[in-house]
Amino acid sequence: NAGVTQTPKFQVLKTGQSMTLQCAQDMNHNSMYWYRQDPGMGLRLIYYSASEGTTDKGEVPNGYNVSRLNKREFSLRLESAAPSQTSVYFCASRNRDRGSGNNEKLFFGSGTQLSVL
Amino acid sequence: KNQVEQSPQSLIILEGKNCTLQCNYTVSPFSNLRWYKQDTGRGPVSLTIMTFSENTKSNGRYTATLDADTKQSSLHITASQLSDSASYICVVIGNTGGFKTIFGAGTRLFVKA
């Protein structure tokens, strides 16, 4: 079991360029998430997918789009990168437990360090 | 407004010493609280979960406590090892008409030989 796999690990973009961050999980989890981590701040939710076929905005969705391609894969797209999107991006997944108040833990990928110049 | 505050921001200790990390939260209603460990260049990994009715839970050399009345949690690390050097993140799940996961900014722990 690889867990949650993210690619690429590092990326440098120029302002206005576009790119897609890929994420795949092999744990048969229903829910998948994209977070960004900035210095001195807690992880912030960009978008999530509670189940295959659904996506919803999180706390900071502006400038991003997502696709839940199938149960395994959840991609994050930056259509026109801006310097404010320089951050470390984490994909996560978990098995949503409807009966116990979201007690299920999140499993994270290793992150993508993105710099926008 | 930060709903999960962690202290200290960073901490340096000598190998073999104990330390305690603090987490104060204002999230209400409260569902559960987790502590995650994040090694440099890696994603966070869950250490332990505390639900409303639990006061103390141990996971090896890690012991988490929760006081739901004062909305405080702590993570105590005993007999620290070099491999404990990492960020420790407090995560609170609130139930505010839908479950919401709120992350603290973390405490960066450095264990020196």
Side-chain angles (χ1 to χ4, degrees), chain A residues 37 42 90 101 103 105-106 108-109, chain B residues 31-32 34 36 38 43-44 99:
Chain A
Q37 186 175 41
F90 286 98
N103 281 357
K105 62 185 172 184
L106 287 161
F108 286 87
Chain B
S31 178
N32 61 79
R34 280 190 184 270
Y36 284 80
Q38 184 177 17
F99 293 104

Side-chain angles (χ1 to χ4, degrees), chain A residues 16-82:
Chain A
Q17 286 186 315
S18 62
M19 78 159 295
T20 300
L21 280 64
Q22 307 287 351
C23 174
Q25 52 91 10
D26 61 4
M27 295 171 283
N28 202 36
H29 286 167
N30 296 318
S31 301
M32 297 185 73
Y33 306 81
W34 276 104
Y35 291 93
R36 60 178 288 172
Q37 186 175 41
D38 298 295
M41 301 180 71
L43 280 92
R44 291 182 293 168
L45 183 64
I46 304 171
Y47 269 93
Y48 68 99
S49 171
S51 61
E52 186 179 356
T54 69
T55 61
D56 285 288
K57 294 179 180 179
E59 184 184 354
V60 289
N62 290 349
Y64 306 95
N65 282 303
V66 291
S67 295
R68 184 73 182 267
L69 304 169
N70 47 55
K71 192 170 186 179
R72 290 187 64 249
E73 298 172 288
F74 188 40
S75 62
L76 178 72
R77 183 159 179 85
L78 287 71
E79 289 292 351
S80 179

Side-chain angles (χ1 to χ4, degrees), chain B residues 60-81:
Chain B
R61 294 180 297 101
Y62 301 104
T63 299
T65 66
L66 174 66
D67 185 333
D69 291 331
T70 62
K71 295 185 170 59
Q72 295 180 326
S73 177
S74 67
L75 182 69
H76 185 75
I77 303 174
T78 304
S80 61
Q81 300 176 358

Side-chain angles (χ1 to χ4, degrees), chain B:
Chain B
K1 179 191 172 193
N2 273 343
Q3 299 184 64
V4 179
E5 297 278 357
Q6 291 188 245
S7 62
Q9 270 191 311
S10 63
L11 182 63
I12 302 173
I13 62 173
L14 290 176
E15 187 179 14
K17 298 297 185 183
N18 304 336
C19 67
T20 300
L21 314 179
Q22 301 289 346
C23 175
N24 295 342
Y25 62 92
T26 58
V27 179
S28 182
F30 167 87
S31 178
N32 61 79
L33 181 150
R34 280 190 184 270
W35 284 93
Y36 284 80
K37 178 186 179 187
Q38 184 177 17
D39 292 314
T40 301
R42 310 287 295 185
V45 175
S46 177
L47 289 174
T48 187
I49 179 173
M50 307 291 290
T51 57
F52 187 86
S53 59
E54 294 175 309
N55 298 117
T56 303
K57 184 176 283 186
S58 292
N59 177 3
R61 294 180 297 101
Y62 301 104
T63 299
T65 66
L66 174 66
D67 185 333
D69 291 331
T70 62
K71 295 185 170 59
Q72 295 180 326
S73 177
S74 67
L75 182 69
H76 185 75
I77 303 174
T78 304
S80 61
Q81 300 176 358
L82 297 178
S83 59
D84 292 331
S85 294
S87 288
Y88 292 84
I89 302 172
C90 176
V91 183
V92 179
I93 310 292
N95 185 0
T96 53
F99 293 104
K100 188 171 181 182
T101 303
I102 301 162
F103 289 79
T107 292
R108 188 73 176 94
L109 175 66
F110 300 89
V111 180
K112 294 175 59 175

